[in-house]
Amino acid sequence: MQERLIHILLVFASVLAYGQVNIAVNPDKSIYNGKEIINLTVILEMNGSEYTQQTPLRSPDLSKFNLIGSGSVNNGYVDPETNTAISQYVTRLALEPKQKGKIKIGSFLVTVNNKIYKTEPFEVFIKDVEKKTAASAPSRDMYLNMEIEDREVYQDQPAIAVLKVYSRNMDNLRKVKNIRLPEQENLNVYPVSFNKSEINPDDEGNMASQVLAVFMVFPNEAGYVEVPAVSASVSSFSKKDKIISNKVKINVKKLPDGSPECFTNAVGNFNVSMINVTKEKAEVRKPMNVLVKISGEGNLKNLNLPKIAPSPDYEVFAPKIISRVKTSLTGMRGEILANYIVIPKKAGEIDIKTEHFAFFDPSNKEYVDLGHQILAVNAFSHEQILEARTTVEKVNEYTNDLLETVNTPVLKTTSFKVKEKSKFHWNILFVNIAVLLALVLIYFLFKNWQKNRKKTVPEKVFPSAGSVAEAEREIRERHKTDINDYFSYLENLKDKREFDRFFQTYDELDDEVRNQFSVSSREEFSRFLNRSQGPATAAAYDHLLQKMQMEKYAPVKSPEEIDDLLKSVVNLYASITK
């Protein structure tokens, strides 16, 4: 009788075990020293093929720990005795305690078949916590720590890293400078912000912390990738030390199979458009500007842009790339503009096409093929353009050419250009002649005024100073050039579209500013700005030099780009010399 009862109980246990969900968490032990790492193992087991995991494993509040590492593995098999499909998900977490005493760890949650399953909360006891640096530091009282919350991303998907400094003395936090972001071939790193946050004291009041920088990491290969350490300098009156942060490993998931043939490395959400920015009619063997714009969110700065496909109907040249991208805590957003010069080879309808473009959307975990963009252009021959012009349009063209070639710094002659009219107006012809005569008269009057205005200024004798150093400083201040004069002159050259003189004047401005700081080369000046005014100003100076070189040797110069350059020059050099 007793054997039958045991047999019946075993049968009921097997029935209950068939088709159920179990989730449990097991620490490697319950009592730890402050130097030991807490290893947690979370096991989710689903017995039965009818169960589907709807959400990833959700962790409890782990703010009292530093997450050192994590990993997961999935197993699936069929029980031969019960013919039941068993799925098992094992997740390992490595935690470093921040405080001592009893710490309660809450429940891990998961949703299966619209039902929430959770583990039982438990406690661990930490005997003692030794505040240790995440990496090497000049003293035990101060260290850097790099934190990456999302350590599992796709290839070319961003991970946000936060750099914090910890110190027992709040005064030390103000001495941290010259932050060097990591550099590695399998990573693309872009700064988000170098603004320091407010100083926050520790829970126990013996350790203060402050956010120094936030940056974005784009891994370009799959597997476990280690983000190198970030370094910074701590300056004091007696010495200059260097501190280094910890290294962080992230799990970079490989992109799913089944990508389109045109897919390269675009990860995010993008749109592609193509615009003809040339206002005049397209003419055979005359250049026209075609703009290919890629906008959206993702790895925009290291994106392989879709090019204009070659065709026997037109000739295309290498584009000028314009980046309007902003980085933030939510990702990288903006647009990339590729300005192409296209020359039609034949008259008639021409279809200008881009290459096929596809991207991977990590939010939906699928590939999106945008195909190719088509811009239809009707090109005319030179004879057709001439035949379509009226007599008034020809007279207006000759007048506009003359107005553009008159060199007068007083009036903007391009504002008198005549727009095309479908009707003939005699007043336009008389107004043009009157404007031309007035310009000539004004030009001579201005030259005469400039000649009379030049007078010799008697050289002033400096009064005796209290010391040689004060006298030298006074002389240097008297001979210091006002950069506002350069700004006004660059504005005048930009309005008159004298772009060659614009770039020449900028070089003179840069030489003058470097001479004021006794720096000869631009490379040395960039290092000087990095030391004196921070890496953000040095990066802005290097970026401005690069944009100047690209625009200087561009085949077609855009007034809008020159205007953006002028704004960048004014903002940067006004900040440097203030």
Side-chain angles (χ1 to χ4, degrees):
M1 184 67 182
Q2 186 176 3
E3 293 180 354
R4 289 183 179 180
L5 181 60
I6 294 174
H7 180 71
I8 292 173
L9 292 176
L10 291 175
V11 170
F12 274 108
S14 63
V15 170
L16 293 174
Y18 177 80
Q20 63 182 0
V21 178
N22 295 320
I23 181 172
V25 56
N26 299 316
D28 53 348
K29 54 184 180 179
S30 59
I31 300 177
Y32 299 87
N33 292 323
K35 298 180 180 180
E36 292 181 327
I37 301 298
I38 302 173
N39 295 309
L40 302 182
T41 303
V42 185
I43 302 175
L44 171 64
E45 188 174 272
M46 296 183 293
N47 299 329
S49 58
E50 69 274 12
Y51 290 101
T52 303
Q53 182 180 351
Q54 296 174 309
T55 62
L57 184 68
R58 288 170 287 180
S59 303
D61 181 18
L62 300 177
S63 60
K64 297 180 180 179
F65 303 90
N66 290 323
L67 181 61
I68 302 302
S70 63
S72 61
V73 63
N74 304 334
N75 297 318
Y77 61 93
V78 177
D79 190 350
E81 296 182 358
T82 60
N83 197 24
T84 303
I86 299 177
S87 300
Q88 190 179 65
Y89 301 88
V90 180
T91 302
R92 294 291 301 273
L93 299 175
L95 305 177
E96 180 186 35
K98 295 182 181 179
Q99 64 185 44
K100 63 182 179 179
K102 285 186 178 181
I103 302 178
K104 185 177 181 181
I105 299 179
S107 301
F108 290 83
L109 305 177
V110 67
T111 302
V112 178
N113 288 11
N114 298 323
K115 184 178 179 180
I116 298 177
Y117 295 86
K118 64 180 182 178
T119 63
E120 293 295 331
F122 61 96
E123 291 182 347
V124 293
F125 183 76
I126 312 299
K127 290 184 178 180
D128 193 13
V129 174
E130 179 183 353
K131 294 291 183 179
K132 59 181 181 179
T133 62
S136 61
S139 67
R140 296 180 180 179
D141 295 334
M142 190 173 188
Y143 67 92
L144 288 177
N145 187 44
M146 177 172 54
E147 301 174 1
I148 298 179
E149 182 177 355
D150 190 3
R151 299 194 184 186
E152 189 171 283
V153 295
Y154 281 104
Q155 185 177 340
D156 289 308
Q157 185 182 8
I160 303 297
V162 179
L163 180 66
K164 290 184 178 181
V165 58
Y166 293 84
S167 177
R168 299 182 186 276
N169 187 358
M170 289 188 182
D171 293 335
N172 292 334
L173 302 182
R174 301 183 180 91
K175 301 175 184 179
V176 181
K177 298 179 181 179
N178 300 329
I179 300 170
R180 301 289 184 181
L181 298 183
E183 294 182 0
Q184 196 164 276
E185 291 184 358
N186 58 355
L187 291 174
N188 294 311
V189 180
Y190 301 100
V192 175
S193 174
F194 284 104
N195 296 328
K196 294 183 179 181
S197 68
E198 296 182 358
I199 298 176
N200 295 322
D202 187 55
D203 295 338
E204 299 180 2
N206 59 356
M207 204 73 169
S209 65
Q210 185 180 36
V211 176
L212 294 181
V214 180
F215 56 95
M216 193 176 297
V217 178
F218 284 87
N220 52 36
E221 66 177 29
Y224 283 96
V225 177
E226 185 177 69
V227 181
V230 181
S231 65
S233 62
V234 182
S235 301
S236 62
F237 292 105
S238 58
K239 59 181 180 177
K240 185 176 183 180
D241 295 320
K242 183 179 181 181
I243 54 177
I244 301 176
S245 75
N246 58 313
K247 300 177 182 179
V248 178
K249 280 189 177 181
I250 58 178
N251 181 19
V252 183
K253 297 182 290 185
K254 186 179 180 181
L255 295 179
D257 297 331
S259 62
E261 295 182 358
C262 59
F263 175 77
T264 54
N265 69 334
V267 177
N269 195 349
F270 306 98
N271 290 317
V272 181
S273 60
M274 187 162 52
I275 308 170
N276 180 12
V277 296
T278 304
K279 297 180 180 180
E280 293 78 11
K281 297 178 181 178
E283 185 176 347
V284 178
R285 302 193 181 281
K286 288 292 184 69
M288 56 181 293
N289 292 91
V290 177
L291 196 67
V292 179
K293 181 171 73 172
I294 299 91
S295 59
E297 178 183 3
N299 58 332
L300 283 167
K301 288 193 175 182
N302 60 335
L303 189 68
N304 292 332
L305 305 177
K307 302 177 182 178
I308 291 182
S311 172
D313 296 338
Y314 55 82
E315 184 178 4
V316 61
F317 295 88
K320 173 189 173 183
I321 306 300
I322 302 172
S323 177
R324 298 174 180 171
V325 179
K326 295 183 178 179
T327 54
S328 64
L329 295 177
T330 59
M332 184 178 291
R333 298 174 181 268
E335 59 184 14
I336 303 292
L337 306 177
N339 193 353
Y340 287 87
I341 295 178
V342 180
I343 301 178
K345 292 183 178 181
K346 70 171 188 177
E349 292 289 338
I350 297 177
D351 289 337
I352 303 176
K353 299 181 180 180
T354 62
E355 297 175 340
H356 280 261
F357 179 73
F359 63 88
F360 176 72
D361 188 355
S363 59
N364 297 324
K365 299 181 180 180
E366 63 179 6
Y367 292 95
V368 179
D369 189 355
L370 297 180
H372 57 255
Q373 303 295 317
I374 301 177
L375 177 65
V377 176
N378 188 15
F380 297 91
S381 63
H382 185 65
E383 291 75 14
Q384 291 174 332
I385 295 291
L386 293 178
E387 291 176 0
R389 291 180 179 176
T390 62
T391 305
V392 176
E393 290 176 341
K394 294 179 181 179
V395 173
N396 290 338
E397 181 185 2
Y398 297 146
T399 306
N400 290 335
D401 291 339
L402 182 60
L403 290 173
E404 288 179 348
T405 56
V406 173
N407 183 19
T408 169
V410 178
L411 295 178
K412 297 179 182 179
T413 55
T414 54
S415 63
F416 294 99
K417 289 180 62 176
V418 181
K419 299 181 181 180
E420 294 184 358
K421 300 288 184 178
S422 58
K423 296 181 180 180
F424 180 78
H425 294 280
W426 288 101
N427 293 335
I428 295 176
L429 183 60
F430 294 124
V431 169
N432 285 334
I433 295 174
V435 168
L436 182 60
L437 294 175
L439 287 175
V440 174
L441 180 60
I442 292 173
Y443 176 75
F444 285 109
L445 290 175
F446 178 76
K447 285 294 183 180
N448 189 29
W449 174 76
Q450 277 189 330
K451 186 176 180 180
N452 295 332
R453 185 171 175 267
K454 292 181 180 179
K455 296 180 180 180
T456 58
V457 180
E459 185 177 357
K460 295 182 180 180
V461 180
F462 291 94
S464 59
S467 64
V468 176
E470 293 178 359
E472 290 180 352
R473 184 168 59 253
E474 183 179 355
I475 294 173
R476 189 161 50 250
E477 290 297 330
R478 292 177 61 85
H479 289 276
K480 185 176 179 181
T481 304
D482 187 3
I483 61 170
N484 292 324
D485 296 339
Y486 280 102
F487 295 159
S488 302
Y489 190 50
L490 288 173
E491 177 74 17
N492 192 13
L493 294 177
K494 185 259 302 182
D495 294 338
K496 293 191 295 182
R497 299 194 177 189
E498 296 183 11
F499 297 140
D500 293 337
R501 295 181 61 187
F502 178 88
F503 293 108
Q504 181 180 359
T505 304
Y506 167 74
D507 293 336
E508 296 175 359
L509 167 62
D510 185 64
D511 292 338
E512 182 66 31
V513 173
R514 284 189 284 107
N515 290 334
Q516 292 179 10
F517 291 95
S518 300
V519 179
S520 58
S521 64
R522 290 178 172 176
E523 293 77 8
E524 186 179 353
F525 190 56
S526 177
R527 293 191 293 268
F528 170 78
L529 292 177
N530 191 15
R531 294 191 304 268
S532 61
Q533 300 190 18
T537 304
Y541 178 73
D542 295 336
H543 183 61
L544 177 60
L545 292 179
Q546 184 180 6
K547 288 177 62 178
M548 277 289 180
Q549 293 299 319
M550 292 177 59
E551 190 65 35
K552 183 177 181 180
Y553 297 104
V556 177
K557 294 178 175 57
S558 170
E560 291 80 8
E561 289 301 320
I562 298 295
D563 187 60
D564 293 340
L565 280 177
L566 180 58
K567 292 178 182 178
S568 301
V569 169
V570 173
N571 294 334
L572 177 61
Y573 284 89
S575 175
I576 292 174
T577 58
K578 67 180 181 179

